[in-house]
Amino acid sequence: MSHSTIKGKRRFALTVVSTLAMLVFSVSAQAILVNHWTFDANGGDSGSSGNLATLQNGASIDNTQVAPNGSIGSLKLDGANDRANALGYKAPLVGGTNSRTVAAWVKTAPGININNHNFAIASYGQNQNGDKFILRSQTDQGTINGNLRFEVNGGYVTGTDIIANGDWHHVAMTWENDGTPNVVDTKLYVDGALQAFNKTATNVVHTDTANGSNFRIGDGHGNDNFDGWIDDVRVYNEVLSAGQIADLAAPVEMDIVAGFTKDFQ
């Protein structure tokens, strides 16, 4: 199988030249980085679709809280009704029963109560049975609060590691149609580690991108707004391997000119 190299976001704004170890990993030639919202300076999309995510209702770019992946900015959200909204873009390449990977860096705001808040990371599709896509933290099901959850309306899977704890975490989900498309075929990853499921509910997957909502970041179909920071949101039209997910989750190693440091928060 032929492979192509995709280079991820790995750059720093320093007043002197620094050497940055870029994250480079190979995916199959068919895998397309459909969307890549870096939030370095705005909601620009450097993926193949090129869909601007409009910052709404007070959402902003924060250059002081950045993921440990070489970022120079992140999306700051206050948990009210702000979001990044890709107006008119419904993510058709990762709709229906198409394979997909969605990944991001997230950090919840300090002092939140994880026992009564769900925090949406990304959503699209229609909020109907099997038609919805939402990746979020959750308190609804299972024995753990603040863990990662993927749901489709009528079905879901939840992981075991807590992500809503005020630290930066890399989160990812992959899903592939095995001929009987079901939400329990999802794989969840936190900080590069495959998650055992805490609780599941089976349901078909057929994400409706014809009638569904725009792709939104930090908003779960008008609910569960994220309180904190989201960075480096990526959407692929193929299932990335565990090794590729681990590469995305790895902090950047870098050599910096003497006298300059980078404080990873």
Side-chain angles (χ1 to χ4, degrees):
M1 178 183 294
S2 63
H3 288 75
S4 61
T5 299
I6 298 178
K7 294 184 178 180
K9 177 182 73 171
R10 298 292 184 269
R11 54 190 184 275
F12 287 96
L14 296 177
T15 57
V16 296
V17 176
S18 63
T19 302
L20 180 62
M22 302 282 286
L23 169 67
V24 180
F25 64 98
S26 296
V27 298
S28 71
Q30 289 73 37
I32 298 174
L33 181 58
V34 179
N35 305 106
H36 186 195
W37 290 286
T38 65
F39 298 114
D40 281 346
N42 53 36
D45 177 9
S46 60
S48 64
S49 293
N51 288 276
L52 176 72
T54 301
L55 308 188
Q56 296 181 325
N57 303 330
S60 62
I61 302 300
D62 189 340
N63 300 116
T64 65
Q65 290 282 356
V66 294
N69 67 333
S71 172
I72 61 173
S74 65
L75 176 66
K76 175 66 174 73
L77 301 165
D78 64 11
N81 64 346
D82 52 350
R83 66 182 72 85
N85 188 351
L87 299 175
Y89 174 64
K90 301 182 185 298
L93 290 180
V94 288
T97 58
N98 294 341
S99 298
R100 67 202 71 172
T101 298
V102 177
W105 284 89
V106 299
K107 179 180 180 177
T108 52
I112 63 169
N113 184 351
I114 66 173
N115 295 319
N116 58 10
H117 285 90
N118 303 316
F119 295 108
I121 300 164
S123 68
Y124 64 102
Q126 189 176 27
N127 195 4
Q128 301 290 336
N129 184 57
D131 291 338
K132 178 172 73 170
F133 177 106
I134 181 169
L135 185 66
R136 62 177 174 90
S137 73
Q138 70 100 42
T139 61
D140 301 306
Q141 302 290 340
T143 59
I144 303 171
N145 290 336
N147 50 331
L148 186 62
R149 169 176 171 139
F150 169 62
E151 68 176 77
V152 298
N153 189 328
Y156 60 85
V157 294
T158 70
T160 51
D161 290 344
I162 294 174
I163 63 169
N165 60 1
D167 295 326
W168 278 108
H169 293 285
H170 187 267
V171 299
M173 65 76 63
T174 67
W175 184 82
E176 186 171 25
N177 183 4
D178 64 358
T180 56
N182 198 290
V183 68
V184 295
D185 298 323
T186 304
K187 292 182 179 180
L188 297 177
Y189 296 84
V190 174
D191 297 326
L194 180 64
Q195 298 289 283
F197 289 152
N198 180 250
K199 192 170 183 180
T200 66
T202 64
N203 201 54
V204 296
V205 175
H206 40 68
T207 312
D208 186 353
T209 57
N211 304 300
S213 67
N214 300 328
F215 196 105
R216 296 178 178 181
I217 299 164
D219 175 291
H221 292 84
N223 298 295
D224 301 331
N225 294 83
F226 197 91
D227 189 356
W229 298 265
I230 300 178
D231 202 1
D232 199 41
V233 178
R234 296 165 176 261
V235 180
Y236 294 88
N237 73 335
E238 186 174 281
V239 169
L240 297 188
S241 70
Q244 291 161 349
I245 297 293
D247 283 344
L248 287 178
V252 165
E253 300 291 338
M254 64 176 294
D255 298 317
I256 305 179
V257 174
F260 290 85
T261 61
K262 179 67 178 179
D263 180 19
F264 291 132
Q265 302 186 51

